[in-house]
Each structure stands twice: as structure tokens, then as C-alpha cells.
Amino acid sequence: MQRPPLDAEQLQRSVVESPELAFFSGVDVVESTGSTNTDLIARAAEPGADHVVLLAETQLHGRGRHARTWVSPPRSQIAMSLLVRLPGVDPAALAWLSLLTGIAVVDALRTTAGVVADLKWPNDVLIDDRKVAGILAEVATGGAEPAVVVGIGLNVSLTDSELPVPYATSLILAGAKETDRTVLVRSLLAEFARRFTAWRDAGWATNDLAAAYRERCATIGMLVRAELPGGQRLTGIAEDIDDAGRLIIGDQAVSAADVTHVRAAR
């Protein structure tokens, strides 16, 4: 299968010429790296480093939540990290950045790739209940102006035999109308910039963000099984998310768990 490279020049030019991408200060594309998140966390210490994008054609040590590895053949996915600073944000609201990113990915896939994408709490992106993308946000620096790196791993052209786990999928397997990674990156960045700017301009209030998340979250209303830290297990109906972005299962708020959809409860 032919897998063309990302058009780095087009992406860099778009940041300068396209109003919807003017939010970003720069886009770098590298052939290979250990982890784009790790690289941008290191850059967060540089004065003025903000709104930076890093993409890799392949990651040697890509990772997801709970330190899981995320590896794929070169040029078969989008491996991208964004570095942003959030001046004046309540530290308790930082978790919303990964949820915001999930909303942006879903909207980009729906509009540009033409697939019916949804969210599984907290930020797995699903097509037909199979994972097509994952998101990992990591705090790089704290203080009054915290810097956060958020990574996106999106399966684009993986075949059945290349999928990392049986419950995964890719855009090509889902019949997406658009699989050009450069086009998809532009869409992802535009949606992220729009959502982040609105959140910042609202003084980091989460009301609108929470409403948008609920509309796209397939977990709410489902019977779910949550594997909690310490080996505990909780099964019940996912009722809602709260103001902190935690999942409400029955009468219990869950902030960190592996959640499995058991069946629809609506």
C-alpha cells in the first residue's frame, strides 16, 4: 500500500495564510521520533513556546493512557502533539483540555472524513464502537500559566492485519471519504483552534464545552463496566458527566478508569 508523506510545506504555509490556523505559531513534521508528547514537553521549558504543533511520520515509543504503547507502520496514522498554555485556568479544569480535544477530533472526522464518529469517555474516538483515535494530555509545567501537551493518535490507513487490537479500526477500514493525512491534519487543527479559543474567551468556563461533549459521547446512557485503580470494578448506567468531566455511574463519580460499553441502556 502506498502511503504518501505529510505535506509539511503546505501545513507550515497554512499557519501563515489561513485565518482558521493562525492560532498556531508553527507546525513541525519529523520523519521519526520516540514520542511527540515527550518532545513537546521538553520544549515547554523554552520561553515563548506556545501553540506549537509537532507531527511524526512514525513514533517509536508512542504511548496512550496508563502508559500503553501506540505503535503503527510509518505514515499509516496521524501522530500529532500540541503544546498550549492556559493562563489563569483553574487547575481543576485542566482535565477538560483532553475532552475538548476529543470533541475536535470527532467534529473533524464527521465533517472531513465523512464518518459517524463518537466519543467513549473520557476521550477515545469510536467508529461503530471500534477505536479509531486516542488522546493523551500531559501537564508540562504548572503555575499560574500551565503548559499542557495533548497528543492525538489517529489510525488512517491501517489494514485489518495491522490493527494493534481487535477492537480498533482505521479510517480506510471505516470507508472514510477522505484519507489524505494532510487534509485531515488541517481539519483537526482548525477544530481544535476553534474550540480552544472559545473556551479561553469564555474565561475557561465549561458549560458550553460540557454540552458539546454530552452531545458526542456514546457512553452516556450505556450500561458500562469500569475498571478502577486498585483493581476495583464498578458496573452501572453511565448517567452523565459532572462539572469536572468525571463520569457519573449510578451515584458515583469516576475520574480515572477503563470503561467498557456493555450494552445500550436507552
Side-chain angles (χ1 to χ4, degrees):
M1 175 185 295
Q2 286 191 339
R3 288 172 167 143
L6 288 162
D7 189 334
E9 290 186 5
Q10 181 187 134
L11 292 172
Q12 291 160 357
R13 190 168 59 250
S14 295
V15 169
V16 177
E17 298 176 354
S18 172
E20 63 183 1
L21 297 184
F23 171 90
F24 299 100
S25 61
V27 177
D28 294 326
V29 179
V30 297
E31 188 61 34
S32 174
T33 191
S35 163
T36 54
N37 263 31
T38 299
D39 292 349
L40 283 193
I41 288 172
R43 288 185 60 181
E46 300 175 6
D50 194 8
H51 295 195
V52 177
V53 182
L54 177 63
L55 293 120
E57 297 287 19
T58 185
Q59 288 190 111
L60 303 178
H61 305 291
R63 62 187 188 277
R65 295 176 66 238
H66 306 301
R68 295 189 181 97
T69 57
W70 185 283
V71 181
S72 64
R75 301 178 179 175
S76 65
Q77 70 163 201
I78 291 170
M80 176 170 68
S81 294
L82 318 172
L83 166 63
V84 290
R85 298 185 187 273
L86 297 86
V89 72
D90 184 340
L94 283 176
W96 278 99
L97 182 59
S98 63
L99 304 185
L100 176 153
T101 306
I103 295 169
V105 173
V106 164
D107 288 355
L109 293 185
R110 288 180 178 182
T111 58
T112 302
V115 294
V116 181
D118 296 292
L119 287 164
K120 179 168 81 72
W121 184 89
N123 47 31
D124 284 347
V125 181
L126 308 181
I127 299 174
D128 293 330
D129 210 34
R130 300 178 73 182
K131 183 175 177 177
V132 71
I135 294 159
L136 177 66
E138 300 178 277
V139 177
T141 62
E145 192 171 297
V148 181
V149 173
V150 57
I152 302 168
L154 171 63
N155 295 334
V156 178
S157 63
L158 285 131
T159 64
D160 272 315
S161 63
E162 294 171 331
L163 294 174
V165 290
Y167 54 83
T169 190
S170 69
L171 292 182
I172 195 169
L173 291 173
K177 69 178 184 181
E178 180 62 78
T179 57
D180 183 315
R181 291 183 304 136
T182 301
V183 174
L184 292 167
V185 168
R186 284 176 52 102
S187 181
L188 290 168
L189 292 179
E191 291 291 347
F192 178 89
R194 183 171 67 86
R195 288 285 175 186
F196 187 94
T197 300
W199 186 32
R200 181 197 63 201
D201 292 349
W204 310 117
T206 60
N207 293 347
D208 291 345
L209 203 53
Y213 185 87
R214 290 185 181 102
E215 290 175 1
R216 293 156 179 79
C217 183
T219 304
I220 297 173
M222 297 280 283
L223 177 64
V224 300
R225 182 175 60 252
E227 305 290 342
L228 305 175
Q232 294 179 305
R233 178 177 292 181
L234 176 64
T235 300
I237 303 299
E239 303 285 355
D240 200 358
I241 56 169
D242 67 10
D243 292 343
R246 297 178 300 179
L247 184 67
I248 307 300
I249 303 176
D251 59 358
Q252 185 169 340
V254 173
S255 59
D258 278 336
V259 170
T260 300
H261 292 176
V262 179
R263 64 170 176 81
R266 293 188 179 92

